[in-house]
């Protein structure tokens, strides 16, 4: 089993647990069987892209850390709940701060 598959399964499981959901509850929200979710979390199966996007939205997690392991959580700025104007302001601030280095 590849490390990437295992890490994805672990990320799904950890995000589900942070949300306080059982496998059965999350499976119902995703419209899949609990067995299918168990297989995803144990890395026996890989989720389809649409299913992965549903999980990311429901569980508020990103696969960035799995795809780009050199980036740390510290490199992520969460902008959920901000208006478009506020997000643009944050982007401008980050751009200015990067130029200082």
């Amino acid at each position: 089993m590849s490390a990437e598959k295992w890490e994805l399964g672990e990320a799904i499981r950890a995000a589900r647990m942070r949300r306080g959901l059982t496998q059965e509850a999350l499976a119902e929200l995703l419209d899949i069987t609990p067995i299918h979710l168990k297989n995803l979390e144990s890395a026996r199966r890989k989720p389809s892209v649409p299913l992965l996007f549903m999980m990311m939205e429901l569980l508020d997690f990103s696969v960035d850390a799995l795809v780009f392991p050199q980036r740390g959580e510290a490199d992520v700025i969460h902008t959920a709940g901000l208006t478009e104007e506020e997000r643009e302001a944050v982007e401008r601030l980050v751009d200015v701060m990067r130029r200082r280095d």
Side-chain angles (χ1 to χ4, degrees):
M1 172 186 325
S2 71
E4 293 84 15
K5 276 178 62 177
W6 177 252
E7 289 173 3
L8 177 58
E10 279 296 303
I12 294 167
R13 183 190 67 75
R16 173 182 60 78
M17 293 180 76
R18 274 194 305 275
R19 287 286 191 196
L21 295 169
T22 64
Q23 285 181 331
E24 292 77 14
L26 180 57
E28 186 175 327
L29 290 170
L30 295 169
D31 197 28
I32 61 174
T33 66
I35 296 291
H36 185 61
L37 181 57
K38 183 176 183 174
N39 286 331
L40 295 172
E41 288 186 0
S42 64
R44 287 187 211 107
R45 307 252 347 231
K46 292 187 283 187
S48 65
V49 172
L51 181 59
L52 182 59
F53 280 113
M54 285 176 57
M55 284 189 261
M56 290 170 58
E57 186 175 329
L58 282 170
L59 300 173
D60 190 30
F61 85 100
S62 172
V63 294
D64 284 0
L66 302 173
V67 177
F68 304 105
Q70 67 276 15
R71 295 182 189 170
E73 182 67 25
D75 294 336
V76 177
I77 297 174
H78 297 278
T79 59
L82 297 180
T83 65
E84 185 63 32
E85 184 177 275
E86 291 167 332
R87 278 193 286 273
E88 289 172 2
V90 169
E91 288 176 20
R92 286 191 303 273
L93 178 61
V94 169
D95 286 342
V96 167
M97 295 175 82
R98 283 185 179 143
R99 283 187 236 136
R100 290 191 322 185
D101 294 338

